[in-house]
Amino acid sequence: MQDQATEVTAAGIARLAGVGRAAVSNWRRRHADFPKPVGGTETSPSFALAEVEGWLRKQGKLAEVPLRERVWQQLAGHPEGPLTALVHAGCALLLIHERSTVWLAASAGSDERLARLLPGALAQVLTPRLGELAGVLMPGVGAPDDVNTSDDSQTTDRGSTAPGVNTAPTTPDVNLPDSSDTPDAPPPLLSSVPLLRGAAELAAEVGARQAFEFLLGRHLDANPRQYTLTPAELAALMADLAGPARTALDPACGTGALLRAVDTRPEQWLHAQDSAPDLAALTALRLALHSRAGVRAAAGDALRADAFPELRADVVLCHPPFNERNWGHDELAYDPRWEYGFPARTESELAWVQHALARLTDGGTAVLLMPPAAASRRSGRRIRADLLRRGALRAVLALPVGAAPPYNIPLHVWVLRRPERNPAAPEVLLMDTGRFAGEGRAGPDWAAVREAVLDAWRAFARAGRLAERPGLARSVPVIELLDDDVDLAPARHLPPPAVADGAEQLAAVRERLGETLRLTTDLTPPAADPAPPVRWPLTTIGELARAGALVMRTGGNGGHARLPVLTDTDVLTATAPSGTLPESDEEAVLTEPGDVVVPVLGGGSVARVIEEATAGAALGRNLVLLRPDPTALDPWFLAGFLRGTANNRQASSYASTATRLDVRRLQLPRLPLAQQRRYGARFHALDEFERALRHASRLGDHLVRGMYDGLTDGTVAPD
């Protein structure tokens, strides 16, 4: 049964057909039989997915909707909203992952039968894995008779009993009960059945866990302003700082990135709480699909309504909300968690710090992502001082700019330990990894950050102190920090980086700058000869792609291999690949010599030809790769004409805050290959001149900054 209720927008239709939104608008105007809107608004209508799919096939514009795209469109257009649809899909995928034969027994037959049997089938998995949350996730899910759903085996002390995740029988009851009290009424899950069947197909193709990660990732990408995400690289670093854990807690779990990064181990329990019920549900499903750990998730504000007041965890990981004024200051004045002092109204982050410490077992570790202001605000100095005196605060690590949202400030990571009976530690590790920041919008060099942080932390944890690493890290005696401000900002306590060779190094930079300026002079284009305007016959990138003269690919998938990633910033600045992408089951697009890469955001006229030094990098987000057939197109000719200002202007669309380039609409003249190569040689020479100018600019900046620093720190004489 095709889902007639699922709706798709014009943007979704464009993705289905692999065209721009302008093409969809043209189809609506030119074809009287194009499906009529069934919802949405006049400016942003929505269409029935089944009708759109049929029309595209009839027109020969789509042989078959890709499975991933079809399932995503069913989720995005679900009548109860994408979040509800994502929860329903996650529940079904967990059933498929753990009790595939139960799913097969329930799904054999009509959609109505599946919808009536689903609550009973899901109870066999959701209740033993997720406890009371099962009934919240899916309507009508109760405790099946053949499943031990009691939670007596769990201890809130430290989760010392093995999770009861294998208590359900391995042989499914194929005579699943019909859970509907009124058989004539439509089952509540009927509208989700087409999506669930599609998700099952996707799970058969890539695995249940990967199918859910794909759908969750697409939902997060489609709604970037609704969620504050913890990047996977940062989550992995925080989990490594915390160390192994049999019991872990995240009291502000979001989408579960931090707990997902915890190394799995036998008899493990993962506890999660979030004020948004949908996020708590998604985290629970994500963790249950990720490992065999026992999962307990709850909705609610952990400061006002702690779901795990008796828990004593080995590890607490947290990315709390920043700068919250309404965190419960008035009603929580006498809360026993404020062991280190009652936080001021403006110090919500220090409330989260003390909540984390209160949920740790003795000797347990908490790792929190913090705004830099929390290390130095005067309103929090008394609490910071008590954390230091009692040995609870072990390290403050400043991250590079761009490590996590908000991307324009260098966030901190605090490492804390619940003090045992032994004396307080006399020193604290302070570290600043700002040197590993990427250029422009590129993220930091995570490999370098990870290596530097873990090396320093492990050395400090072993010895209780760390030998000074100029400009990077040092362990500071607590007594040095207990002044009137108790300022813990690492940059204020670290010695400056060692100046290598001082004036001699600047002399070398000056010499390289001189060589580059001479090269730039040699590469300066000759005077342009005037010529009458030429009217060439034109074609478009879209037409060339359809004719097979080039192949178009879009970036953004990381694949399974860890590769350097070419970002849009790298293309704009003509620098080496500097980005990273999270691992995914979709293969990365790898660059080859002769490819032409075009950024689609920002309104700039830029195209980069891939050469041997850059080949093999994965294509990043917001980039389109064009791979020309060398017998039909010269790559430098292609890149040169794509950079024309008028060409970019006619192919761009404008939103309220951004400009987006429709690469298919970019135009090229139809010229013989020999004439293309003449233009290509001239464009290549211009590219070399542009690179030399950029290199000279960077060397000039380096020389100027070095001179200022040398003169002000005394390593360069004024005469």
Side-chain angles (χ1 to χ4, degrees):
M1 169 181 164
Q2 178 65 49
D3 179 19
Q4 296 288 340
T6 301
E7 299 177 11
V8 61
T9 63
I13 297 173
R15 283 193 295 268
L16 287 171
V19 298
R21 292 184 62 175
V24 178
S25 298
N26 288 336
W27 293 343
R28 291 186 64 195
R29 289 195 298 268
R30 292 167 48 196
H31 297 277
D33 62 340
F34 190 86
K36 303 300 181 188
V38 297
T41 64
E42 184 175 344
T43 57
S44 181
S46 58
F47 307 83
L49 176 61
E51 295 179 6
V52 168
E53 186 178 337
W55 187 87
L56 290 172
R57 252 191 224 103
K58 178 181 175 183
Q59 296 292 324
K61 302 181 186 300
L62 183 68
E64 182 60 50
V65 178
L67 177 59
R68 286 173 178 255
E69 193 61 41
R70 174 160 58 87
V71 176
W72 165 247
Q73 293 298 342
Q74 288 173 328
L75 188 148
H78 193 280
E80 295 183 49
L83 269 175
T84 298
L86 188 56
V87 170
H88 289 183
C91 291
L93 289 168
L94 184 59
L95 173 64
I96 293 165
H97 181 63
E98 300 206 347
R99 305 289 299 278
S100 58
T101 49
V102 174
W103 165 263
L104 292 173
S107 61
S110 68
D111 285 0
E112 288 78 3
R113 177 180 180 274
L114 174 57
R116 293 186 189 281
L117 296 182
L118 265 176
L122 290 169
Q124 297 192 26
V125 169
L126 295 182
T127 305
R129 289 302 308 273
L130 305 179
E132 296 177 359
L133 190 64
V136 178
L137 289 172
M138 276 290 199
V141 171
D145 295 335
D146 60 345
V147 179
N148 176 17
T149 62
S150 67
D151 203 24
D152 296 338
S153 63
Q154 180 190 7
T155 68
T156 57
D157 177 29
R158 288 190 58 182
S160 56
T161 306
V165 295
N166 294 315
T167 54
T170 55
T171 303
D173 178 8
V174 294
N175 297 315
L176 291 166
D178 186 333
S179 63
S180 175
D181 295 331
T182 54
D184 294 334
L189 294 175
L190 184 60
S191 62
S192 294
V193 166
L195 166 65
L196 304 188
R197 290 192 186 277
E201 287 184 59
L202 188 58
E205 185 177 287
V206 303
R209 180 185 302 128
Q210 291 79 3
F212 185 72
E213 288 294 325
F214 164 73
L215 294 173
L216 176 61
R218 284 289 294 267
H219 175 70
L220 297 177
D221 286 344
N223 302 275
R225 296 185 179 180
Q226 292 184 22
Y227 306 99
T228 300
L229 303 180
T230 308
E233 297 88 348
L234 175 57
L237 176 63
M238 292 173 66
D240 284 343
L241 286 168
R246 193 171 65 175
T247 309
L249 165 70
D250 185 347
C253 62
T255 58
L258 289 172
L259 289 177
R260 188 172 180 269
V262 174
D263 284 340
T264 58
R265 57 184 302 175
E267 302 182 357
Q268 189 176 55
W269 281 96
L270 303 176
H271 298 76
Q273 183 170 355
D274 197 275
S275 58
D278 292 326
L279 291 182
L282 291 177
T283 292
L285 291 168
R286 192 180 193 189
L287 296 176
L289 281 163
H290 178 66
S291 74
R292 297 296 299 171
V295 177
R296 288 296 174 262
D301 181 349
L303 294 183
R304 286 189 172 94
D306 185 9
F308 309 105
E310 304 302 321
L311 178 68
R312 295 297 177 265
D314 301 315
V315 161
V316 175
L317 298 170
C318 188
H319 178 174
F322 296 162
N323 302 318
E324 288 282 325
R325 294 297 183 99
N326 186 26
W327 57 267
H329 177 272
D330 294 337
E331 60 263 45
L332 297 174
Y334 300 103
D335 196 288
R337 288 172 292 181
W338 314 143
E339 190 176 344
Y340 300 88
F342 180 41
R345 190 183 301 276
T346 56
E347 295 289 351
S348 62
E349 296 86 7
L350 294 182
W352 285 101
V353 163
Q354 295 192 75
H355 174 78
L357 285 167
R359 294 296 158 262
L360 285 174
T361 187
D362 289 345
T365 302
V367 182
L368 286 84
L369 186 66
M370 302 282 281
S376 55
R377 278 190 300 241
R378 288 189 61 81
S379 54
R381 65 189 186 278
R382 291 184 179 178
I383 294 177
R384 293 195 298 270
D386 209 32
L387 290 170
L388 291 171
R389 289 191 192 97
R390 298 173 59 181
L393 183 60
R394 305 297 294 120
V396 176
L397 314 170
L399 297 171
V401 171
Y407 291 106
N408 60 329
I409 59 174
L411 300 177
H412 289 179
V413 171
W414 286 24
V415 183
L416 303 109
R417 189 162 290 163
R418 185 170 181 83
E420 297 180 273
R421 293 183 179 179
N422 56 322
E427 298 195 7
V428 175
L429 175 64
L430 299 181
M431 187 170 188
D432 188 347
T433 61
R435 65 173 66 174
F436 303 119
E439 295 186 11
R441 286 176 290 172
D445 182 348
W446 278 112
V449 172
R450 181 184 180 83
E451 180 181 3
V453 168
L454 293 181
D455 179 63
W457 167 248
R458 287 166 181 164
F460 173 75
R462 284 193 303 269
R465 63 183 311 277
L466 182 74
E468 190 173 286
R469 302 181 183 184
L472 181 65
R474 67 177 285 224
S475 58
V476 182
V478 166
I479 194 66
E480 285 189 22
L481 301 171
L482 294 176
D483 55 16
D484 288 342
D485 295 323
V486 196
D487 191 333
L488 305 180
R492 293 180 179 144
H493 300 279
L494 296 179
V499 178
D501 298 330
E504 292 81 1
Q505 184 189 43
L506 294 178
V509 173
R510 186 178 185 280
E511 184 176 346
R512 292 202 305 273
L513 176 59
E515 293 172 358
T516 305
L517 290 174
R518 287 189 290 273
L519 175 62
T520 304
T521 301
D522 294 339
L523 293 174
T524 302
D529 295 329
V534 179
R535 297 288 184 182
W536 292 297
L538 299 175
T539 185
T540 65
I541 294 297
E543 290 170 351
L544 290 170
R546 286 191 291 272
L550 57 80
V551 175
M552 285 186 64
R553 302 290 300 277
T554 56
N557 298 314
H560 291 289
R562 279 298 187 190
L563 297 169
V565 175
L566 186 70
T567 68
D568 52 352
T569 301
D570 299 331
V571 174
L572 293 168
T573 58
T575 52
S578 65
T580 59
L581 285 171
E583 290 188 26
S584 70
D585 293 300
E586 295 186 62
E587 290 298 321
V589 177
L590 303 184
T591 58
E592 297 179 2
D595 289 345
V596 177
V597 178
V598 184
V600 298
L601 293 180
S605 303
V606 179
R608 177 171 176 177
V609 178
I610 300 299
E611 299 181 283
E612 291 290 345
T614 314
L619 193 68
R621 295 186 179 93
N622 302 319
L623 293 175
V624 171
L625 180 145
L626 306 175
R627 184 164 292 159
D629 179 351
T631 64
L633 280 173
D634 178 81
W636 286 103
F637 162 81
L638 171 63
F641 273 95
L642 294 188
R643 291 191 58 172
T645 302
N647 198 6
N648 274 258
R649 187 180 296 123
Q650 63 84 29
S652 296
S653 58
Y654 303 93
S656 58
T657 59
T659 303
R660 187 172 187 90
L661 183 68
D662 185 351
V663 176
R664 290 176 177 272
R665 292 172 53 190
L666 290 169
Q667 297 176 337
L668 287 178
R670 297 180 183 271
L671 297 179
L673 189 57
Q675 194 170 357
Q676 289 183 34
R677 287 173 177 158
R678 286 176 53 207
Y679 276 97
R682 189 66 181 271
F683 287 136
H684 195 173
L686 281 173
D687 182 78
E688 290 182 342
F689 174 62
E690 184 178 32
R691 286 173 182 265
L693 286 174
R694 283 185 170 143
H695 187 48
S697 176
R698 286 193 288 269
L699 287 171
D701 288 342
H702 188 175
L703 180 61
V704 170
R705 173 50 51 198
M707 289 295 295
Y708 271 110
D709 289 344
L711 288 167
T712 55
D713 65 19
T715 58
V716 173
D719 299 327

